[in-house]
């Protein structure tokens, strides 16, 4: 049994430069651990630093002080290539705005991370992509373009894409933020079912207390500080 947390944050802080030359602290001295196979909601109002923190944890932003480690390994020394390599093997992302590639069909979108990872024949990738779409109830829409899909369907494609590479960690940033309540509930149900079935570690960023309540643990962020 591996007791090391999947992710550890130690005194993590980040700032952004403002147009007037000033600096704004977005993440303020955050320390936390995320154990494998657990689900954690990070809750906070708009502008509290949720996306800033999630993008550091997701290795999308390297401009921070303090320590971020995966499996006990400090990520500070990793090159851009190391970070992309790790990201495409271990981390899946779901964003509020779905972020599908508009000129690719549903299955081609799901196939993308598998293609980036390399080493798998296209026929196998297509089969895997269609199977992932099946798990989110969209097998019949595999050839549809994103513009032909509803918001809820697009987000289900994004979930299938995020999970296609069998990641250890899934980071969802306001995954139902652009959906009406009913559609959001349905997408959340699919998300949580998949996370549970695959044993993925979930970090779910949201301002929605009802969505946060579905996670095993809730952390609150306020002006960059986590509690
Ligand atoms: N690149 C940036 N330039 C200027 N301000 C930023 C930038 N990124 C984030 N901010 C500011 O930092 C704060 C935290 O932003 P963010 O992490 O996006 O919050 P949340 O996701 O909780 O809404 C906000 O006040 C936001 O306006
Ligand atoms: Mg945000």
């Amino acid at each position: 049994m591996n007791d090391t947390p999947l992710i550890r944050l130690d005194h993590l802080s980040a700032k952004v430069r403002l147009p007037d030359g000033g600096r704004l602290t977005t993440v303020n001295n955050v320390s936390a651990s995320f154990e494998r196979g657990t689900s954690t909601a990070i809750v906070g109002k708009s502008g509290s630093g949720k996306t800033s923190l999630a993008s550091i944890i997701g290795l999308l932003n390297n401009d921070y002080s303090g320590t971020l480690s995966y499996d006990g390994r400090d990520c500070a020394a990793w090159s851009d290539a190391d970070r992309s390599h790790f990201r495409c093997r271990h981390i899946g992302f779901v964003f509020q705005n779905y972020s599908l590639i508009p000129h690719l069909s549903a299955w081609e979108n799901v196939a993308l991370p598998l293609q980036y990872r390399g080493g798998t024949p296209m026929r196998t990738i297509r089969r895997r992509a269609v199977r992932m779409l099946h798990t989110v109830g969209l097998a019949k829409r595999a050839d549809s373009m994103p513009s032909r899909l509803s918001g809820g369907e697009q987000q289900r494609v994004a979930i299938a894409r995020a999970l296609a590479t069998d990641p250890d960690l899934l980071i969802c940033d306001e995954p139902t933020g652009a959906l009406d309540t009913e559609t959001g509930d349905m997408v959340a149900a699919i998300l949580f079912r998949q996370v549970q079935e695959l044993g993925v570690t979930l970090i779910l960023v949201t301002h929605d207390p009802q969505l946060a309540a579905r996670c095993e643990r809730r952390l609150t962020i306020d002006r960059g500080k986590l509690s």
Side-chain angles (χ1 to χ4, degrees):
M1 189 64 196
N2 182 353
D3 285 340
T4 312
L6 177 64
I7 303 157
R8 230 190 120 73
L9 318 176
D10 274 305
H11 303 291
L12 200 76
S13 291
K15 292 185 167 115
V16 289
R17 193 174 290 282
L18 298 173
D20 67 3
R23 306 259 279 165
L24 172 76
T25 299
T26 53
V27 177
N28 191 352
N29 197 23
V30 166
S31 297
S33 290
F34 300 86
E35 309 288 338
R36 287 180 175 280
T38 59
S39 59
T40 305
I42 297 180
V43 195
K45 43 183 206 264
S46 179
S48 57
K50 302 184 296 297
T51 296
S52 304
L53 180 60
S55 61
I56 293 173
I57 298 174
L59 303 175
L60 295 169
N61 175 10
N62 191 29
D63 192 7
Y64 60 84
S65 61
T67 312
L68 163 67
S69 42
Y70 270 90
D71 257 335
R73 284 172 296 157
D74 185 350
C75 306
W78 294 4
S79 66
D80 286 350
D82 291 338
R83 280 196 304 278
S84 324
H85 188 263
F86 187 90
R87 245 191 348 255
C88 82
R89 274 157 190 79
H90 299 284
I91 310 178
F93 292 93
V94 174
F95 303 100
Q96 174 171 348
N97 61 0
Y98 329 129
S99 300
L100 299 180
I101 309 288
H103 61 270
L104 297 179
S105 69
W107 84 261
E108 287 167 335
N109 267 282
V110 178
L112 265 190
L114 296 162
Q115 287 176 268
Y116 283 139
R117 194 174 59 176
T120 311
M122 203 55 208
R123 211 155 21 104
T124 312
I125 288 179
R126 191 192 142 95
R127 222 178 307 133
R128 166 104 183 132
V130 173
R131 189 151 18 98
M132 289 310 298
L133 285 171
H134 176 73
T135 65
V136 297
L138 286 176
K140 291 205 172 94
R141 309 305 304 270
D143 291 315
S144 299
M145 302 307 281
S147 61
R148 312 295 296 183
L149 300 173
S150 70
E153 288 170 337
Q154 289 185 60
Q155 196 58 306
R156 281 148 67 195
V157 174
I159 292 168
R161 177 182 59 183
L163 294 171
T165 53
D166 204 9
D168 302 305
L169 172 67
L170 180 66
I171 300 178
C172 301
D173 191 353
E174 306 273 10
T176 61
L179 304 172
D180 62 70
T181 309
E182 198 181 320
T183 310
D185 286 350
M186 195 258 272
V187 168
I190 289 171
L191 174 67
F192 280 97
R193 192 193 65 213
Q194 287 298 101
V195 161
Q196 202 152 38
E197 270 177 20
L198 300 171
V200 182
T201 306
L202 174 68
I203 296 181
L204 189 155
V205 164
T206 181
H207 65 268
D208 176 357
Q210 277 188 5
L211 188 61
R214 302 181 73 143
C215 291
E216 291 157 353
R217 177 173 67 148
R218 276 155 299 284
L219 301 174
T220 302
I221 188 164
D222 182 20
R223 279 164 290 176
K225 273 196 169 303
L226 203 65
S227 56

